[in-house]
Amino acid sequence: MEAKHLALEIDSILSQFDPSKVKLLLAERITRVASLYAADISPVESHDTIVTFLRHYISFAPELINNLNLLAERLNMTALLSPYVQLASNYLASACHELHQDEEFDSFKAFMTLLHGAYIFLRMIEELDDRIQNFVGIPLSECDTLHANLIAHETIGDDFANRLDRVVTSLFQQSKITKAVIEAQLDKTQLQAFRLAGEAMSGEKIYCLAARHHLSMI
């Protein structure tokens, strides 16, 4: 499924989403996240902020998929990146299809199903960025997902999120990443300029996804 179509499917599901049910059923986990990332605002406001952020985290996945596709073409790294993008797209498309088949819409089930799919993809982005940065000194993507993923991890729950983490890390082999980066014949002078400017291989300034939503570790 194309990223644009996937975005429409996800937005269609999220448009039916009832945040009050999610906040009620995830109250304990969201409170724990709030104590780490939103301790300077009231409990009610912090819960609203976190649920709103997680909704954006989900809807942001197709945009990142599209960005990664474009970046792969520009950097001559399609062979490396395409399998990860395809896996994420297929998982989210399957989740959307499953939810559309339900006779009755369940906000909590829909939210968690899409959150799992978004988490898998954004964790892949984090893992890919880390491995590429270890090799060339800068990440591939300008979107730093570390804290966003920690928030999603806590919301999903440690046991299941750890299972998803193991699936993600099993997909990566450093040797394949190193080989692909070497074969891309990237301009070392440009990479150095990006590093000094605080930019990623995309040429954009690196930013923290969670901080953009006023969530930061105290």
Side-chain angles (χ1 to χ4, degrees):
M1 185 182 292
E2 292 184 1
K4 185 177 181 180
H5 187 195
L6 184 59
L8 291 173
E9 289 287 299
I10 289 174
D11 286 346
S12 172
I13 293 167
L14 289 177
S15 70
Q16 306 172 64
F17 160 69
D18 179 4
S20 62
K21 185 174 182 181
V22 171
K23 283 186 284 187
L24 177 64
L25 294 175
L26 293 175
E28 184 177 343
R29 295 177 188 175
I30 293 174
T31 297
R32 187 162 57 249
V33 172
S35 70
L36 296 171
Y37 285 93
D40 56 341
I41 57 179
S42 71
V44 171
E45 186 180 356
S46 67
H47 282 218
D48 288 341
T49 298
I50 290 161
V51 172
T52 298
F53 164 73
L54 289 169
R55 179 172 177 166
H56 175 81
Y57 179 93
I58 292 167
S59 62
F60 190 47
E63 182 178 334
L64 282 176
I65 287 171
N66 185 59
N67 290 347
L68 205 60
N69 275 328
L70 295 174
L71 191 57
E73 291 180 14
R74 178 151 61 88
L75 297 176
N76 192 31
M77 295 174 68
T78 300
L80 171 66
L81 301 179
S82 180
Y84 303 118
V85 172
Q86 197 60 51
L87 187 153
S89 298
N90 289 346
Y91 189 101
L92 283 166
S94 176
C96 289
H97 178 74
E98 174 192 329
L99 293 169
H100 280 308
Q101 297 305 305
D102 288 348
E103 292 184 5
E104 292 186 17
F105 183 80
D106 183 326
S107 273
F108 184 71
K109 177 186 175 182
F111 181 81
M112 295 306 291
T113 298
L114 292 179
L115 183 59
H116 296 160
Y119 181 73
I120 287 172
F121 179 56
L122 270 73
R123 273 290 288 116
M124 284 197 295
I125 291 284
E126 180 187 350
E127 192 73 22
L128 191 60
D129 279 341
D130 284 349
R131 290 172 183 264
I132 288 177
Q133 184 163 10
N134 286 340
F135 184 55
V136 300
I138 57 173
L140 174 70
S141 167
E142 70 273 12
C143 181
D144 181 348
T145 63
L146 172 62
H147 290 290
N149 287 337
L150 288 172
I151 291 168
H153 184 111
E154 287 291 333
T155 306
I156 291 168
D158 209 38
D159 288 345
F160 190 60
N162 283 339
R163 286 169 58 190
L164 296 179
D165 286 339
R166 288 192 289 272
V167 170
V168 168
T169 55
S170 72
L171 300 173
F172 289 88
Q173 289 184 329
Q174 184 63 45
S175 59
K176 288 186 177 181
I177 293 172
T178 301
K179 183 174 182 289
V181 172
I182 291 172
E183 290 177 347
Q185 297 183 332
L186 302 169
D187 187 325
K188 292 182 180 179
T189 302
Q190 187 177 56
L191 291 177
Q192 176 69 356
F194 286 157
R195 187 183 67 79
L196 292 174
E199 296 171 348
M201 288 169 66
S202 62
E204 300 292 332
K205 282 280 187 183
I206 298 169
Y207 69 90
C208 173
L209 182 59
R212 280 205 168 177
H213 292 263
H214 311 292
L215 295 170
S216 58
M217 184 147 318
I218 306 301

